[in-house]
Structures are given as structure tokens and as C-alpha cells.
Amino acid sequence: MSAPKKTGRRFLLAAPAALLSLSVTAPAALAAPGPSTSPAATPPARMSTVGGKRLGQPGTQVNLAPGVPVLPKDLTARSWIVSDAESGEVLAAHNAHWRLPPASTLKMLFADTLLPRFPKTMEHKVAPADLAGVGVGSSVVGIKEGRSYTVRDLWLGVFLRSGNDAVHVLSAMNDGVAQTVRDMQDHAGELQALDTHVISPDGYDEPGQVSSAYDLTLFARSGLQKKDFRDYCSTVSARFESGEIRNTNRLLSGDTDVPVYQGIAGVKNGNTTNAGATFTGVAERNGKVLLVTVMNPQKHEHNEVYKESAKLLDWGFQAAGKVTPVGELVPPRNAAPSAAPSASAQRSATAGGSGSRPVAGATAGSGGVGTAAAIAGGVLVLLAGGAFLINRRWPLPDLMRRRSRP
């Protein structure tokens, strides 16, 4: 079967209102529940301090000062974080390192781990064993035994419909679920996402499977360095077999009570019984790119996770450049530190210090700066020597070039 012939993408541009009417029927992304226990009602008194001491403290962490807008009211999520995707500055956070069930937002780690391994044009014929272990009630894209799918088909199923069946087929191509889980856990360690414990690659509720708002943000930031990741997570609709599938990220595709968010460009949503609703999003306005992660709003209204995410993004764009950060998004372990700290790093240290360990070595493509230009232009221009620079612009495109596609 050939790859889908057309996709609808959003590249950092406001969506037309007409798109909203097309997305009403698409269900929310689910990684259906399995046997598990619900997380504790309150965060632990001590959490990880990766990224800064204040990020390990329970409750809301923000440096309010004259000229800094107050945080939005009615935020009910158990955990959330707002950060600058390029500098890595954490503008504000709430229980950032609380280890909670991630639901399908864990698929960001799955994609960041496996995307480089298979060419998008590669075809795979699905065997019955490939679909073994897909959880009862899982969100699926409709993969059928005996049919062949391109890798691109499968990734569209993962990103747009949160298809656990597509995840299991890709895992089978990667020597199985157990190997994929090991690979994901190893990659989480490389990214310094130390709150994450992977049991199932699709985010299906399993005892002991946890992540955090901080870690999910690291996964998104790393994934957005990859062009295919950016393309898939920003795709609104695509052909799949004989029909069309639409992205269940409501800030990207819209819904009756949630408009398309201005400047949205991905990333991933999820929902299970134990995790509640989870979401990580990236958006750009006026050259500033922000990441937001929201986990398990306690206000159980329709699309609440998107409403709270939009409020936090709005606040972040207003506060950027005015608020002193409370921490930072740490680089991967294999990123080489810069010779001197940047001004943003010094501000971050003043705001609460850093709990990250020194790292050494250098590889391109796993960092987090340049997300804005990478999404907009799709072309990475490495800095001299190709080394990653902590708290500065790592491998970044030089210019923000806006681009829209039909």
C-alpha cells in the first residue's frame, strides 16, 4: 500500500475557523485502562530536582513581580509546566516532577526512540502476532492482519488516532514490545527524564508506569528536533486506507468548545482511567516558542485539558521576557556544555539552581533548542562544530521562516 497521498498540516499559523466544523466527530485520544491503581491524591513532599531545586517542590512555582501577569485562575491539573522550547527556561510549574500515569503522551517517547529506525516508505505486512497484547478498549486506527502498511501509514496512525495497534506493529518491527520498552527506557535516561518508568510502549495503564510533566516536556522537545516527528504531530488530517483520519489534538484540529489555538504545531494528547486527560503542546507567536504539559485536570468538563493548556500558553506568551524562570529543561546527557553560562542560565540559577548533572560528548538532533525554526522551516543549520550548547542555542536554524501548507 502506498503512503497517504495528502495531509493537512499546521505550521505555526492560526487555523481558519472553517476547520472547526470538520473535527467534531473525532473522539479523544485514548490508551484504554488496564489493571492499575490510581495515583495518590497529593504530590510527595520531595520530588526530583532535575532542572532546578524549585521544580522538586510541591505546589506552584513562579516568580511573580511587577509587570509579570498573574497565573490564570481555575487551573485544576495535578501537574503542569510552561517552558521556553528554545532556551529551556521553565517559566512556571506546578508539581513538575510528580510521577503520574502518562496515558498516550508516552507515545512521544515511543516516537522519539523509534522514528529514526525505519524509512517512511518501508512496507510491513502485519502478522497476527504483531497485534498480540493490544489492550482491551484501546484506541486503534484499524490495522488489519495480513495487510501491508508503510511506516508512514503506521506513524500517522500513532500521532493522529493514538492507535495502540500501530504502536504494537512498529514495536514488532523493532524486535518486539519487550525490546521496545527497554529502548524507550534507555532513551528516557539519555534525556535525563528520570521520573519515567516504561511498562507498555503505548501508554496503556499498567501498574508502575509513570512519567511527569517535566519528562513529557523533555520528550516533546527532543522529538521536535526530528522533521518526521514535526510533520506527523502537526498533521490535522490524512488519508488512511480508504478513509480519512483526523488528529485528536483539539488545540490543533478544534472542537465545538475549543477553537484551534493560534500558532499551535502539535504535540500529543492522551486519556485513560488512571491518568485522566494528559496533553503536551507546542505553539509559536512572534518568534517565541513555548511548550506546555498538563496532566490530569480535576475539573471534569469536556476538553478541560485543552482549555487549561490554552490558558497556560496565553500566560506564557504574556510572561515571556518578563518573568524570572524557576528552572530549566536539561539537555541530553550526550550534549556538550558550553564554555560559559548564558544570561538565561544565570537567571535560572538565581531563581532556584539546577539539579542536573554535567554531561559530555556531542551528537546532533537530540537537543531542544531551535524548535521554533525547525518547525517553521524544516531545515536545521548546525552551529560551528555541530556541538550542543547548554542554555544557549544548540543546533538551530538561523531564521524563523513561516510556512503554511494546504
Side-chain angles (χ1 to χ4, degrees):
M1 174 179 174
S2 60
K5 296 181 180 179
K6 63 178 181 179
T7 58
R9 295 191 180 94
R10 301 238 167 267
F11 283 90
L12 307 174
L13 293 174
L19 179 65
L20 301 182
S21 63
L22 301 177
S23 60
V24 175
T25 59
L30 300 174
S36 182
T37 56
S38 298
T42 57
R46 289 187 176 183
M47 294 176 281
S48 169
T49 58
V50 170
K53 293 180 180 178
R54 289 188 62 179
L55 299 183
Q57 299 174 10
T60 300
Q61 307 300 319
V62 63
N63 289 313
L64 294 179
V68 177
V70 297
L71 285 166
K73 298 179 180 179
D74 302 324
L75 295 176
T76 69
R78 289 187 167 188
S79 176
W80 54 259
I81 186 170
V82 183
S83 56
D84 186 307
E86 293 187 281
S87 70
E89 294 177 343
V90 176
L91 307 184
H94 180 77
N95 302 324
H97 280 291
W98 192 0
R99 303 179 77 195
L100 296 168
S104 287
T105 47
L106 192 65
K107 290 182 172 78
M108 293 187 295
L109 174 61
F110 172 76
D112 193 38
T113 304
L114 262 63
L115 258 173
R117 302 188 180 187
F118 308 110
K120 65 176 67 177
T121 56
M122 177 180 175
E123 290 197 4
H124 176 78
K125 186 174 182 179
V126 178
D130 294 351
L131 298 173
V134 175
V136 176
S138 287
S139 54
V140 296
V141 69
I143 302 294
K144 296 178 177 61
E145 297 176 4
R147 293 196 181 181
S148 293
Y149 298 86
T150 65
V151 166
R152 188 185 185 204
D153 293 336
L154 296 171
W155 282 118
L156 286 169
V158 170
F159 278 92
L160 274 66
R161 300 294 295 183
S162 207
N164 289 2
D165 50 354
V167 168
H168 277 255
V169 172
L170 286 162
S171 297
M173 296 170 62
N174 189 57
D175 294 330
V177 167
Q179 182 61 52
T180 299
V181 167
R182 287 191 292 269
D183 291 346
M184 290 171 65
Q185 193 67 61
D186 288 345
H187 189 48
E190 292 169 2
L191 296 177
Q192 302 202 65
L194 306 183
D195 299 323
T196 298
H197 184 57
V198 183
I199 303 293
S200 174
D202 52 21
Y204 191 90
D205 279 342
E206 294 287 354
Q209 179 151 274
V210 292
S211 190
S212 67
Y214 185 89
D215 283 11
L216 293 174
T217 303
L218 292 183
F219 302 152
R221 194 180 188 219
S222 178
L224 288 166
Q225 303 306 299
K226 300 173 175 64
K227 182 182 184 301
D228 286 347
F229 189 105
R230 297 193 302 270
D231 287 348
Y232 293 132
C233 81
S234 65
T235 297
V236 177
S237 64
R239 297 293 300 175
F240 188 87
E241 293 192 317
S242 60
E244 181 186 69
I245 55 175
R246 295 189 62 78
N247 202 312
T248 54
N249 172 357
R250 295 306 188 207
L251 293 190
L252 185 72
S253 61
D255 205 350
T256 53
D257 58 342
V258 177
V260 173
Y261 190 82
Q262 180 184 356
I264 193 70
V267 176
K268 190 71 188 74
N269 54 331
N271 197 320
T272 69
T273 297
N274 292 323
T278 59
F279 177 69
T280 297
V282 62
E284 183 269 345
R285 288 184 187 173
N286 301 318
K288 180 67 66 176
V289 186
L290 299 183
L291 281 161
V292 64
T293 295
V294 173
M295 302 186 75
N296 200 349
Q298 298 300 287
K299 185 177 182 181
H300 300 296
E301 291 194 2
H302 188 242
N303 286 327
E304 182 64 22
V305 73
Y306 303 109
K307 295 172 183 177
E308 296 193 18
S309 296
K311 291 177 182 179
L312 285 168
L313 283 170
D314 285 345
W315 175 86
F317 285 120
Q318 294 170 8
K322 302 174 184 176
V323 65
T324 300
V326 295
E328 64 174 345
L329 300 176
V330 295
R333 292 188 188 279
N334 58 8
S338 58
S342 66
S344 64
Q346 294 171 354
R347 291 198 305 271
S348 180
T350 302
S354 172
S356 61
R357 293 194 290 269
V359 291
T363 58
S366 59
V369 229
T371 301
I375 296 172
V379 178
L380 293 180
V381 179
L382 300 183
L383 293 175
F388 286 79
L389 302 178
I390 293 178
N391 290 314
R392 299 175 66 184
R393 294 181 179 267
W394 309 349
L396 273 184
D398 295 314
L399 301 173
M400 283 293 302
R401 297 196 300 274
R402 291 180 178 272
R403 178 176 67 181
S404 62
R405 294 182 178 181

